[in-house]
Amino acid sequence: MAATHQSIVIRLVIAQICVHGTMSGLRMAAPLLALRVGYDAMSVGLLLALFGLAQLFLALPIGRYADRHGSRKLIVMAASASAISLLVLGIWPVFEVACFAAVMNGAAAGTAMISVQRHAGQLSTDHHEMKKIFSWIAVAPTLSNFFGPLLAGVLIDAFDFQITFLVLCGVPPIAVIALRGLTEPAQRPRPAEDQLYRGSPFTLLKSSALRRLLIVNLAISAGWDVLSFMLPLRGHDLGLSASAIGMVLASVAIAATASRLMMPWVFRRAHDMWIVYVSMVITGVLFCFVPLASSAIWLGCLSALLGAFLGSVQPLIMSVLHKMTPPHRQGEALGLRTMSIYISSITIPILSGTIGAAVGTVAVFLLVGAVIGATSRVARSLID
């Protein structure tokens, strides 16, 4: 990776960590606040679903805006929305305001993700270098999922929810500082004739390969959302403290970060979609063992393994997605991908809460394991 690109990538990673990490901290703290004041698992599921509500409608417009106007303005707006909503929640730490903060921080995290990934994708035309860049960019969400829950858990145990939210509201503005002076990459010329990718963003779905890639992405997103939703509930059932639950979630992030840092070495030895296929098969099996964990150590170990295999997939999906789409519509393609992620973020907590309340949490883990295992066949069909 060129030195100038490396500097830009580091700044992009810092910016996304600040916005996404704040959302991850709130995503861990808000359910605990709801449970502590007497709300049930179904209410917690609805609260977590709100993190994906705004991006379900905003992802495509944000992708188009990024294609036309660049990334920095969007990240500034995202950081501002995140900080303001957490300030309000810090002043009034009640369930209704937590719902408002969930919507705003979900929108902010999605906006930052699209903006950062689109900017990173414009830095290089070489596919090998692009995979290296996305391996670094993919570290941002995993570090965020380590930093956010851990910080929130420690603050809750040391102080209270109100102080936690007020501290978190000071993190997103760091993203704006990190991107000061950032310039947009030079625009590449648009093709004169491009019938397949002309018009609405949904015309991108005319590509069979892109449709299958988005199905794989949706299955992986479902796995992440089940982990995010069910692990705090499982920890609460086991009587773990907020710090212990934060450490379990942090183990997922650490393992995912490690696997993504190893990806450039793996890239040279295996086909992109073979790695995705194998990771999905192993992930499906591991999900079946998570309900058997009865202590923080075993829960953390199994969660870390899931984080490692789920985490290895994202940089590959992003690099393949950029290879499939023309440069001037990569923001829209990322918008489609983000929309599929947030469809999962909305539906999976509600379905998990409903199924868990009806037949128990074991069924939730077994079901998502079966879905990911079955979808691995779609990933295998994308192997050249």
Side-chain angles (χ1 to χ4, degrees):
M1 192 190 309
T4 54
H5 288 173
Q6 188 173 25
S7 173
I8 294 172
V9 167
I10 290 172
R11 294 168 67 188
L12 291 171
V13 168
I14 291 172
Q16 188 173 357
I17 287 173
C18 292
V19 179
H20 194 111
T22 302
M23 185 276 293
S24 297
L26 178 63
R27 190 179 171 92
M28 180 266 191
L32 295 180
L33 173 65
L35 291 170
R36 186 166 296 184
V37 298
Y39 286 88
D40 59 12
M42 186 63 182
S43 299
V44 172
L46 290 171
L47 171 61
L48 289 175
L50 292 176
F51 281 90
L53 181 62
Q55 276 302 311
L56 186 61
F57 304 101
L58 290 178
L60 290 178
I62 286 169
R64 283 202 156 188
Y65 185 95
D67 282 334
R68 288 165 172 76
H69 305 289
S71 305
R72 188 177 181 279
K73 290 181 181 178
L74 283 170
I75 296 174
V76 170
M77 289 188 285
S80 301
S82 175
I84 291 170
S85 64
L86 280 162
L87 177 61
V88 175
L89 182 58
I91 297 173
W92 295 289
V94 296
F95 183 79
E96 293 77 9
V97 180
C99 291
F100 162 74
V103 173
M104 296 297 287
N105 278 268
T111 299
M113 180 173 65
I114 293 173
S115 303
V116 166
Q117 291 174 359
R118 188 243 173 218
H119 194 103
Q122 298 287 311
L123 292 177
S124 175
T125 56
D126 177 72
H127 187 58
H128 182 68
E129 184 183 17
M130 187 177 293
K131 287 192 288 187
K132 287 185 177 180
I133 289 173
F134 277 123
S135 293
W136 281 92
I137 292 296
V139 167
T142 57
L143 288 178
S144 302
N145 291 331
F146 168 79
F147 154 74
L150 184 60
L151 176 62
V154 170
L155 288 172
I156 291 169
D157 285 343
F159 302 100
D160 56 21
F161 284 100
Q162 192 166 20
I163 296 297
T164 299
F165 299 137
L166 290 174
V167 171
L168 286 176
C169 82
V171 177
I174 300 173
V176 180
I177 298 172
L179 296 182
R180 181 177 295 173
L182 182 71
T183 58
E184 294 295 323
Q187 292 294 317
R188 299 172 193 169
R190 299 188 178 191
E193 294 294 333
D194 192 4
Q195 296 295 332
L196 178 61
Y197 297 119
R198 182 172 293 172
S200 164
F202 291 102
T203 60
L204 293 167
L205 297 178
K206 292 180 181 179
S207 167
S208 172
L210 181 58
R211 289 198 306 270
R212 284 177 285 161
L213 186 67
L214 291 176
I215 290 171
V216 170
N217 185 78
L218 183 59
I220 296 299
S221 299
W224 280 117
D225 288 320
V226 166
L227 276 183
S228 299
F229 175 58
M230 298 303 297
L231 286 181
L233 293 183
R234 178 61 177 163
H236 184 266
D237 291 341
L238 293 174
L240 303 181
S241 66
S243 297
I245 295 172
M247 285 299 296
V248 170
L249 292 173
S251 71
V252 177
I254 293 171
T257 301
S259 70
R260 288 173 180 178
L261 290 175
M262 290 175 61
M263 279 297 102
W265 178 83
V266 177
F267 288 152
R268 297 193 294 269
R269 290 161 175 81
H271 187 284
D272 295 0
M273 296 311 298
W274 264 114
I275 300 172
V276 174
Y277 168 66
V278 172
S279 296
M280 292 181 74
V281 171
I282 296 174
T283 296
V285 174
L286 287 172
F287 262 108
C288 298
F289 287 94
V290 173
L292 302 178
S294 58
S295 67
I297 293 176
W298 283 111
L299 191 62
C301 289
L302 284 170
S303 300
L305 287 172
L306 280 167
F309 286 103
L310 285 170
S312 66
V313 173
Q314 185 184 9
L316 295 168
I317 290 179
M318 287 193 297
S319 64
V320 172
L321 180 71
H322 276 74
K323 186 167 63 173
M324 286 180 177
T325 53
H328 65 281
R329 300 200 68 183
Q330 287 173 351
E332 291 175 292
L334 287 167
L336 285 171
R337 174 181 175 270
T338 302
M339 189 169 67
S340 73
I341 290 173
Y342 281 92
I343 287 173
S344 172
S345 295
I346 292 172
T347 57
I348 293 301
I350 295 175
L351 289 174
S352 298
T354 303
I355 295 171
V359 294
T361 58
V362 173
V364 177
F365 287 105
L366 293 177
L367 179 60
V368 74
V371 169
I372 293 175
T375 311
S376 67
R377 297 182 63 184
V378 180
R380 186 170 184 176
S381 73
L382 287 167
I383 299 172
D384 296 331

